[in-house]
Amino acid sequence: MPRISESQIQAQYDFMSRVREINSHRGRLAAYIKTFGCQQNEADSEELAGMLTLMGYDIENDAENADIILINTCAVREHAESKAMSIAGRFKLLKAKKPDMIIGVCGCMVTQEGVSANLKEKYPYVDILFGTSELWRMPEILYTRLSTGKRVFEPGKGRYSDIAEGLPSVRSDRYRAYISVMYGCDNFCTYCVVPHVRGRERSREREAVLADVRKAVSEGAREITLLGQNVNSYGHGLYEDYDFADLLRDVCAADGDFTVRFMTSHPKDMTDRLISVMAAEPKVSKALHLPLQSGSDRVLRAMNRVYKRDDYLALVSRIRAAMPDIALTTDIIVGFPGETEEDFLDTVDIVKRVKYDNIYSFIYSPRRGTPAADMEQLPYEIKVDRYQRLIAVQSEMELAFNRGLEGSTIEVLVEGRSKTDTDKLTGRTERGKLVHFSGPDCLIGQRIGVRITHAETFALYGELLDTSLNGSAL
Ligand code: SAH
Ligand code: SF4
């Protein structure tokens, strides 16, 4: 698998030094990164933050006083695109007050045909733009902008097979680390823009992944999430006899007190070997995100998902036989072109049978350049109605499940103060459920026992066990 050469990466470090030099007389400089979309984008933003930090910028949560703003966009649904564009409009006003401010747009949206040219013409206040394949060149792009005063637009094309190793990264969460194991996707589901904007599937070398895991753990990460559009096809085209199950086992063998998750898994690549490694390794969280997309064979075929509803249900049975308490979550698209009421009810039927811990449901959004965008579309009202009905079914089941937890004691990884009520701490259970409870700051980053006193659909409320305060976790 071609890697971007060490000398090319070194050249970017040189550009970072040059930007730092240009900035050296400007006093304290702040950077703000707005990230849309999936965890891969979050991980990319952490690399952007790493590079900006080396260039002398402090990463802040405040766009108002920033000297550089980067908008890392998503193209998966139209909604994410319009949100990115409306936020870019807001930043225009900030720039009017602070003309030296640099505004950059990057991520999946800018890689789509025509988007870069459109932004160049209609958004004159956007200074730099770079596609996902050009992210590692951000220092060079920023340097060119600062040294010439010219706008630099590099949406990128044709470099998708290359992997950039050795870029700096600043993690946004001390206790959680997102580590990419592969990039791109070759599955070409007919609704999805990802293969078009992230390019062909390619895996990182195992040593590079394992080094990142060891580093994150040594820096205090308690939860590692291995990332990829299709993690369980890891290794294809790179190794003959080493796959995601092997990688997962090797990650777990790293020293330290941490747990491991991974996403996203395609059902077609969920091997029995992977299921047994998951079941056997105590460090693997017993939680799995397994996108269903639809419960109808007809729709699955039109989506090019390759499996049938019975294959999916049989897979769930095998997973539950190996790990009876596993928490399953899924992605579902409603209103795919041609979906009938009967097809939709097939999806609801699977949701009822599998009893997911959580579902991420989406109204189908036509994406330019994908086959499904050219099929006959359903009226919007039908899509919204199905979406609401699906959510209602799931919410009712989740509430019943959560109520069943009242009175029990659950292990929670404490994340920090609750955003809505700072008197309370917030954490997540291994199943990914949010738990709010009162407690001191010293518990942040620890795994502790919480007794659940009250349950709602989207959150649990509880109280600390006395032993948790003495530092002894469950
Ligand atoms: N690689 C992952 C995630 C891809 S995008 C996977 O295969 O599961 C995340 C989710 O967005 C998808 O699982 C799908 O449910 C949803 N999605 C993708 N394209 C979409 C579209 N055009 N309209 C609505 N939802 C979409
Ligand atoms: Fe998109 Fe399908 Fe690839 Fe997931 S597997 S990224 S849904 S094409």
Side-chain angles (χ1 to χ4, degrees):
M1 203 61 36
R3 249 200 204 197
I4 288 155
S5 71
E6 271 174 39
S7 60
Q8 282 174 298
I9 298 289
Q10 185 50 49
Q12 296 304 316
Y13 275 89
D14 294 343
F15 281 117
M16 290 184 228
S17 309
R18 288 198 230 170
V19 170
R20 208 183 168 98
E21 230 170 84
I22 293 181
N23 282 338
S24 57
H25 63 278
R26 296 178 63 201
R28 197 183 151 275
L29 294 174
Y32 174 75
I33 306 175
K34 175 73 192 169
T35 310
F36 291 91
C38 65
Q39 270 92 355
Q40 182 57 60
N41 262 15
E42 297 283 349
D44 284 352
S45 287
E46 292 184 349
E47 288 196 333
L48 293 172
M51 295 191 275
L52 286 167
T53 304
L54 284 189
M55 289 188 266
Y57 294 92
D58 291 334
I59 310 298
E60 297 200 348
N61 279 330
D62 165 29
E64 198 94 357
N65 297 312
D67 297 281
I68 179 166
I69 293 179
L70 294 181
I71 309 170
N72 193 357
T73 61
C74 169
V76 165
R77 283 169 294 277
E78 194 185 341
H79 184 59
E81 285 198 355
S82 33
K83 272 205 317 213
M85 294 327 296
S86 81
I87 206 163
R90 258 197 282 146
F91 294 154
K92 175 186 176 184
L93 303 175
L94 296 183
K95 186 161 170 157
K97 284 194 247 160
K98 195 171 175 176
D100 277 352
M101 177 187 274
I102 301 280
I103 296 188
V105 186
C106 59
C108 293
M109 193 183 104
V110 309
T111 308
Q112 295 182 101
E113 213 182 306
V115 171
S116 172
N118 184 40
L119 277 165
K120 196 166 194 174
E121 193 195 344
K122 301 207 179 110
Y123 294 74
Y125 52 91
V126 172
D127 301 284
I128 57 175
L129 174 147
F130 46 97
T132 52
S133 64
E134 310 305 301
L135 182 132
W136 61 283
R137 291 180 53 233
M138 188 271 276
E140 177 185 347
I141 290 166
L142 179 57
Y143 172 76
T144 312
R145 168 67 183 82
L146 290 174
S147 59
T148 66
K150 292 197 179 118
R151 302 165 81 200
V152 188
F153 278 54
E154 303 251 5
K157 260 206 164 87
R159 231 199 289 245
Y160 281 121
S161 55
D162 297 347
I163 292 182
E165 294 289 358
L167 295 176
S169 172
V170 170
R171 288 213 321 272
S172 52
D173 184 325
R174 241 185 100 194
Y175 305 108
R176 289 220 170 95
Y178 293 101
I179 297 178
S180 301
V181 304
M182 50 92 70
Y183 304 99
C185 180
D186 284 352
N187 288 326
F188 289 95
C189 301
T190 54
Y191 50 80
C192 185
V193 81
V194 170
H196 307 271
V197 293
R198 286 266 174 192
R200 295 291 59 73
E201 181 182 302
R202 58 223 181 262
S203 297
R204 292 179 69 197
E205 284 166 23
R206 65 187 144 196
E207 291 78 12
V209 174
L210 294 172
D212 276 1
V213 170
R214 285 192 292 268
K215 180 162 179 284
V217 173
S218 73
E219 289 168 356
R222 305 292 305 273
E223 187 180 285
I224 302 283
T225 304
L226 304 175
L227 284 185
Q229 292 300 342
N230 193 8
V231 270
N232 47 355
S233 72
Y234 173 82
H236 286 184
L238 178 62
Y239 301 117
E240 297 255 299
D241 51 1
Y242 188 90
D243 65 8
F244 186 66
D246 299 306
L247 182 72
L248 188 61
R249 199 193 47 221
D250 286 349
V251 166
C252 291
D255 287 337
D257 175 17
F258 64 96
T259 57
V260 187
R261 298 170 174 261
F262 52 90
M263 69 188 299
T264 303
S265 305
H266 195 298
K268 77 177 165 53
D269 296 311
M270 200 64 216
T271 62
D272 286 344
R273 222 161 67 79
L274 177 54
I275 296 171
S276 24
V277 172
M278 279 188 81
E281 290 289 349
K283 280 181 182 161
V284 175
S285 286
K286 299 303 176 270
L288 181 68
H289 186 62
L290 194 64
L292 167 69
Q293 311 301 1
S294 168
S296 147
D297 282 345
R298 227 176 49 79
V299 175
L300 284 170
R301 197 169 50 243
M303 287 177 162
N304 191 29
R305 287 295 287 182
V306 195
Y307 52 87
K308 295 192 164 157
R309 60 180 274 127
D310 285 350
D311 302 328
Y312 186 94
L313 287 169
L315 174 61
V316 167
S317 300
R318 288 204 298 283
I319 293 168
R320 287 213 163 120
M323 293 166 281
D325 284 333
I326 193 158
L328 291 176
T329 52
T330 200
D331 288 350
I332 289 174
I333 296 177
V334 294
F336 186 81
E339 181 191 72
T340 62
E341 175 67 14
E342 204 185 347
D343 294 323
F344 170 69
L345 292 177
D346 280 346
T347 301
V348 172
D349 176 65
I350 292 208
V351 167
K352 284 184 174 162
R353 283 179 196 227
V354 174
K355 298 192 175 62
Y356 294 103
D357 275 60
N358 198 355
I359 63 175
Y360 299 87
S361 39
F362 307 105
I363 293 178
Y364 169 70
S365 166
R367 305 282 64 209
R368 222 174 336 119
T370 61
D374 296 331
M375 300 175 189
E376 198 177 323
Q377 306 294 315
L378 291 183
Y380 188 66
E381 308 75 65
I382 292 194
K383 297 203 247 186
V384 174
D385 173 62
R386 289 182 188 162
Y387 174 76
Q388 286 168 344
R389 279 153 65 204
L390 181 64
I391 302 236
V393 167
Q394 175 64 17
S395 299
E396 199 181 308
M397 291 196 314
E398 257 178 71
L399 183 59
F401 181 87
N402 288 352
R403 291 245 162 95
L405 297 174
E406 286 176 352
S408 65
T409 297
I410 303 191
E411 191 183 80
V412 171
L413 172 60
V414 187
E415 291 179 356
R417 288 273 148 210
S418 156
K419 288 197 186 102
T420 46
D421 175 0
T422 47
D423 285 347
K424 290 210 156 58
L425 288 171
T426 287
R428 268 181 206 276
T429 68
E430 188 183 12
R431 301 186 86 94
K433 298 223 176 267
L434 265 183
V435 185
H436 304 293
F437 56 97
S438 299
D441 281 349
C442 61
L443 295 177
I444 296 172
Q446 295 204 37
R447 278 180 219 287
I448 53 150
V450 175
R451 205 178 70 82
I452 304 303
T453 50
H454 174 65
E456 286 182 9
T457 310
F458 300 111
L460 302 169
Y461 298 83
E463 57 194 20
L464 270 181
L465 289 187
D466 291 348
T467 46
S468 300
L469 282 171
N470 301 333
S472 63
L474 274 182

